[in-house]
Short mmCIF file of all heavy atoms in Angstrom, two decimals:
data_model
loop_
_atom_site.label_atom_id
_atom_site.label_comp_id
_atom_site.label_asym_id
_atom_site.label_seq_id
_atom_site.Cartn_x
_atom_site.Cartn_y
_atom_site.Cartn_z
N ILE A 19 183.55 -6.33 125.28
CA ILE A 19 182.91 -6.73 126.47
C ILE A 19 183.19 -8.17 126.91
O ILE A 19 183.51 -8.51 128.07
CB ILE A 19 181.36 -6.43 126.45
CG1 ILE A 19 181.04 -4.96 126.24
CG2 ILE A 19 180.63 -7.10 127.61
CD1 ILE A 19 179.70 -4.63 126.00
N LEU A 20 183.10 -9.09 125.97
CA LEU A 20 183.40 -10.49 126.21
C LEU A 20 184.81 -10.69 126.73
O LEU A 20 185.24 -11.42 127.59
CB LEU A 20 183.00 -11.33 124.99
CG LEU A 20 181.59 -11.51 124.69
CD1 LEU A 20 181.45 -12.28 123.35
CD2 LEU A 20 180.81 -12.21 125.71
N ASN A 21 185.75 -9.98 125.82
CA ASN A 21 187.14 -10.13 126.22
C ASN A 21 187.37 -9.57 127.65
O ASN A 21 188.22 -10.21 128.43
CB ASN A 21 187.96 -9.32 125.15
CG ASN A 21 189.54 -9.56 125.27
OD1 ASN A 21 189.86 -10.71 125.64
ND2 ASN A 21 190.20 -8.57 124.95
N LEU A 22 186.72 -8.53 128.10
CA LEU A 22 186.90 -7.86 129.33
C LEU A 22 186.34 -8.93 130.32
O LEU A 22 186.97 -9.09 131.44
CB LEU A 22 186.18 -6.57 129.34
CG LEU A 22 186.16 -5.89 130.72
CD1 LEU A 22 187.72 -5.52 131.03
CD2 LEU A 22 185.29 -4.60 130.68
N LEU A 23 185.22 -9.50 130.15
CA LEU A 23 184.69 -10.44 131.04
C LEU A 23 185.62 -11.64 131.25
O LEU A 23 185.88 -12.12 132.38
CB LEU A 23 183.37 -10.88 130.58
CG LEU A 23 182.19 -9.89 130.64
CD1 LEU A 23 180.88 -10.38 129.91
CD2 LEU A 23 181.88 -9.54 132.01
N PHE A 24 186.21 -12.11 130.05
CA PHE A 24 187.11 -13.21 130.15
C PHE A 24 188.30 -12.86 131.03
O PHE A 24 188.70 -13.64 131.86
CB PHE A 24 187.55 -13.64 128.79
CG PHE A 24 188.71 -14.69 128.79
CD1 PHE A 24 188.20 -16.05 128.94
CD2 PHE A 24 189.90 -14.41 128.44
CE1 PHE A 24 189.26 -16.99 128.93
CE2 PHE A 24 190.79 -15.40 128.38
CZ PHE A 24 190.54 -16.66 128.63
N LYS A 25 188.89 -11.62 130.82
CA LYS A 25 190.12 -11.25 131.55
C LYS A 25 189.83 -11.09 133.05
O LYS A 25 190.56 -11.33 133.95
CB LYS A 25 190.66 -9.93 130.96
CG LYS A 25 191.27 -10.20 129.62
CD LYS A 25 191.93 -8.88 129.10
CE LYS A 25 192.69 -9.13 127.71
NZ LYS A 25 193.29 -7.87 127.29
N MET A 26 188.55 -10.47 133.25
CA MET A 26 188.13 -10.34 134.73
C MET A 26 188.08 -11.63 135.46
O MET A 26 188.47 -11.84 136.54
CB MET A 26 186.76 -9.67 134.75
CG MET A 26 186.93 -8.13 134.35
SD MET A 26 185.28 -7.27 134.49
CE MET A 26 184.94 -7.43 136.19
N ASP A 27 187.48 -12.74 134.63
CA ASP A 27 187.48 -14.01 135.19
C ASP A 27 188.82 -14.56 135.38
O ASP A 27 189.14 -15.35 136.44
CB ASP A 27 186.66 -14.92 134.35
CG ASP A 27 186.47 -16.34 134.82
OD1 ASP A 27 185.83 -16.44 135.86
OD2 ASP A 27 186.86 -17.33 134.28
N LYS A 28 189.78 -14.34 134.48
CA LYS A 28 191.14 -14.77 134.63
C LYS A 28 191.79 -14.12 135.76
O LYS A 28 192.49 -14.79 136.54
CB LYS A 28 191.89 -14.43 133.29
CG LYS A 28 193.18 -15.15 133.14
CD LYS A 28 192.96 -16.62 132.81
CE LYS A 28 194.20 -17.37 132.54
NZ LYS A 28 194.03 -18.74 132.26
N ILE A 29 191.47 -12.86 135.94
CA ILE A 29 192.02 -12.21 137.08
C ILE A 29 191.50 -12.69 138.42
O ILE A 29 192.28 -12.91 139.36
CB ILE A 29 191.73 -10.65 136.96
CG1 ILE A 29 192.42 -9.99 135.83
CG2 ILE A 29 192.01 -9.92 138.27
CD1 ILE A 29 191.97 -8.54 135.52
N LYS A 30 190.23 -13.08 138.50
CA LYS A 30 189.74 -13.71 139.61
C LYS A 30 190.44 -15.05 139.98
O LYS A 30 190.77 -15.33 141.16
CB LYS A 30 188.23 -13.95 139.50
CG LYS A 30 187.47 -12.67 139.63
CD LYS A 30 186.01 -13.01 139.55
CE LYS A 30 185.08 -11.76 139.73
NZ LYS A 30 183.61 -11.96 139.60
N GLN A 31 190.67 -15.81 138.91
CA GLN A 31 191.39 -17.06 138.99
C GLN A 31 192.77 -16.92 139.52
O GLN A 31 193.27 -17.58 140.42
CB GLN A 31 191.40 -17.85 137.74
CG GLN A 31 189.99 -18.33 137.27
CD GLN A 31 190.11 -19.12 136.02
OE1 GLN A 31 191.18 -19.25 135.38
NE2 GLN A 31 188.93 -19.67 135.55
N LEU A 32 193.40 -15.84 138.97
CA LEU A 32 194.89 -15.50 139.44
C LEU A 32 194.80 -14.95 140.89
O LEU A 32 195.67 -15.44 141.61
CB LEU A 32 195.41 -14.39 138.39
CG LEU A 32 195.71 -14.88 137.08
CD1 LEU A 32 196.24 -13.76 136.22
CD2 LEU A 32 196.87 -15.86 137.09
N GLN A 33 193.74 -14.25 141.26
CA GLN A 33 193.79 -13.71 142.61
C GLN A 33 193.51 -15.00 143.56
O GLN A 33 194.15 -15.05 144.63
CB GLN A 33 192.56 -12.70 142.80
CG GLN A 33 192.87 -11.41 142.17
CD GLN A 33 191.61 -10.54 142.27
OE1 GLN A 33 190.51 -10.92 142.44
NE2 GLN A 33 191.88 -9.19 142.12
N THR A 34 192.66 -15.91 143.17
CA THR A 34 192.38 -17.07 143.99
C THR A 34 193.73 -17.94 144.14
O THR A 34 194.15 -18.31 145.26
CB THR A 34 191.38 -18.00 143.39
OG1 THR A 34 190.09 -17.17 143.25
CG2 THR A 34 191.09 -19.20 144.24
N THR A 35 194.37 -18.06 143.02
CA THR A 35 195.64 -18.79 143.03
C THR A 35 196.61 -18.10 143.99
O THR A 35 197.43 -18.67 144.77
CB THR A 35 196.18 -19.00 141.60
OG1 THR A 35 195.26 -19.65 140.78
CG2 THR A 35 197.51 -19.85 141.65
N THR A 36 196.69 -16.67 143.75
CA THR A 36 197.58 -15.91 144.55
C THR A 36 197.23 -16.09 146.01
O THR A 36 198.25 -16.24 146.89
CB THR A 36 197.47 -14.51 144.15
OG1 THR A 36 197.81 -14.37 142.78
CG2 THR A 36 198.49 -13.59 144.97
N GLU A 37 196.01 -16.06 146.41
CA GLU A 37 195.60 -16.24 147.73
C GLU A 37 196.06 -17.59 148.32
O GLU A 37 196.63 -17.76 149.44
CB GLU A 37 194.11 -16.12 147.94
CG GLU A 37 193.58 -14.76 147.79
CD GLU A 37 194.06 -13.82 148.85
OE1 GLU A 37 194.36 -14.24 149.96
OE2 GLU A 37 194.29 -12.57 148.47
N LYS A 38 195.95 -18.69 147.51
CA LYS A 38 196.34 -20.00 147.85
C LYS A 38 197.83 -20.03 148.06
O LYS A 38 198.33 -20.69 149.03
CB LYS A 38 195.86 -21.03 146.86
CG LYS A 38 194.43 -21.28 146.83
CD LYS A 38 194.12 -22.35 145.82
CE LYS A 38 192.54 -22.58 145.81
NZ LYS A 38 192.21 -23.66 144.80
N LEU A 39 198.48 -19.38 147.07
CA LEU A 39 199.98 -19.39 147.20
C LEU A 39 200.43 -18.72 148.44
O LEU A 39 201.45 -19.09 149.15
CB LEU A 39 200.60 -18.74 145.94
CG LEU A 39 200.57 -19.64 144.67
CD1 LEU A 39 201.03 -18.74 143.52
CD2 LEU A 39 201.47 -20.83 144.79
N LYS A 40 199.79 -17.53 148.68
CA LYS A 40 200.14 -16.71 149.82
C LYS A 40 199.90 -17.49 151.10
O LYS A 40 200.75 -17.51 152.06
CB LYS A 40 199.27 -15.46 149.91
CG LYS A 40 199.64 -14.48 151.04
CD LYS A 40 198.72 -13.28 150.92
CE LYS A 40 199.11 -12.29 152.06
NZ LYS A 40 198.27 -10.95 151.98
N LYS A 41 198.74 -18.22 151.23
CA LYS A 41 198.38 -19.04 152.32
C LYS A 41 199.46 -20.14 152.54
O LYS A 41 199.87 -20.49 153.69
CB LYS A 41 197.01 -19.59 152.22
CG LYS A 41 196.48 -20.36 153.46
CD LYS A 41 195.08 -20.75 153.38
CE LYS A 41 194.50 -21.50 154.56
NZ LYS A 41 193.12 -21.88 154.37
N SER A 42 199.84 -20.75 151.32
CA SER A 42 200.69 -21.87 151.44
C SER A 42 202.10 -21.42 151.94
O SER A 42 202.85 -21.99 152.77
CB SER A 42 201.01 -22.48 149.99
OG SER A 42 199.69 -23.10 149.61
N LEU A 43 202.55 -20.11 151.47
CA LEU A 43 203.74 -19.57 151.95
C LEU A 43 203.72 -19.24 153.34
O LEU A 43 204.76 -19.51 154.05
CB LEU A 43 204.02 -18.32 151.08
CG LEU A 43 204.44 -18.55 149.59
CD1 LEU A 43 204.63 -17.13 148.94
CD2 LEU A 43 205.84 -19.22 149.56
N GLU A 44 202.60 -18.70 153.90
CA GLU A 44 202.53 -18.46 155.30
C GLU A 44 202.58 -19.80 156.09
O GLU A 44 203.30 -19.80 157.09
CB GLU A 44 201.16 -17.81 155.53
CG GLU A 44 201.07 -16.31 155.07
CD GLU A 44 199.73 -15.68 155.24
OE1 GLU A 44 198.77 -16.41 155.68
OE2 GLU A 44 199.50 -14.52 155.03
N GLU A 45 201.95 -20.87 155.54
CA GLU A 45 201.99 -22.13 156.30
C GLU A 45 203.41 -22.63 156.30
O GLU A 45 203.95 -23.28 157.24
CB GLU A 45 201.03 -23.13 155.68
CG GLU A 45 199.63 -22.92 155.92
CD GLU A 45 198.75 -23.89 155.09
OE1 GLU A 45 199.20 -24.67 154.44
OE2 GLU A 45 197.52 -23.77 155.32
N MET A 46 204.17 -22.55 155.15
CA MET A 46 205.52 -22.95 155.04
C MET A 46 206.37 -22.19 155.95
O MET A 46 207.28 -22.66 156.64
CB MET A 46 205.99 -22.78 153.63
CG MET A 46 205.37 -23.81 152.63
SD MET A 46 205.90 -23.66 150.97
CE MET A 46 207.60 -24.01 151.08
N ASP A 47 206.07 -20.88 156.04
CA ASP A 47 206.78 -20.01 156.97
C ASP A 47 206.64 -20.42 158.42
O ASP A 47 207.68 -20.52 159.18
CB ASP A 47 206.37 -18.55 156.82
CG ASP A 47 207.22 -17.61 157.67
OD1 ASP A 47 208.46 -17.66 157.49
OD2 ASP A 47 206.54 -16.93 158.46
N GLU A 48 205.37 -20.79 158.81
CA GLU A 48 205.05 -21.21 160.11
C GLU A 48 205.87 -22.63 160.46
O GLU A 48 206.33 -22.81 161.50
CB GLU A 48 203.61 -21.45 160.38
CG GLU A 48 202.83 -20.20 160.45
CD GLU A 48 203.24 -19.33 161.76
OE1 GLU A 48 203.62 -19.97 162.73
OE2 GLU A 48 203.35 -18.16 161.50
N GLN A 49 205.79 -23.49 159.33
CA GLN A 49 206.49 -24.80 159.52
C GLN A 49 208.02 -24.57 159.64
O GLN A 49 208.65 -25.26 160.51
CB GLN A 49 206.14 -25.66 158.41
CG GLN A 49 204.71 -26.15 158.29
CD GLN A 49 204.39 -27.00 157.08
OE1 GLN A 49 205.27 -27.20 156.22
NE2 GLN A 49 203.20 -27.52 157.02
N ALA A 50 208.43 -23.63 158.98
CA ALA A 50 209.96 -23.32 159.02
C ALA A 50 210.27 -22.86 160.37
O ALA A 50 211.28 -23.17 160.96
CB ALA A 50 210.28 -22.33 157.94
N LYS A 51 209.46 -21.91 160.83
CA LYS A 51 209.67 -21.36 162.22
C LYS A 51 209.65 -22.47 163.24
O LYS A 51 210.39 -22.52 164.20
CB LYS A 51 208.65 -20.23 162.50
CG LYS A 51 208.89 -19.08 161.77
CD LYS A 51 207.79 -17.97 162.08
CE LYS A 51 207.99 -16.64 161.24
NZ LYS A 51 206.97 -15.69 161.60
#
């Protein structure tokens, strides 16, 4: 259960990082355009 909770927290962090990366990519795309 603890291991699952840790992984779920890791997944949330990864999701947050992914969202940030996605937003940064979108901003870079707008800047490029």
Side-chain angles (χ1 to χ4, degrees):
I19 290 171
L20 291 173
N21 190 33
L22 179 62
L23 290 173
F24 175 76
K25 287 184 177 181
M26 288 178 67
D27 184 58
K28 196 72 173 175
I29 288 170
K30 285 182 179 179
Q31 290 179 0
L32 288 173
Q33 286 178 343
T34 302
T35 303
T36 302
E37 287 296 327
K38 289 181 178 180
L39 287 172
K40 185 178 179 182
K41 187 175 180 181
S42 297
L43 287 172
E44 288 177 352
E45 289 177 354
M46 290 177 65
D47 182 56
E48 288 297 325
Q49 290 178 355
K51 289 178 180 179

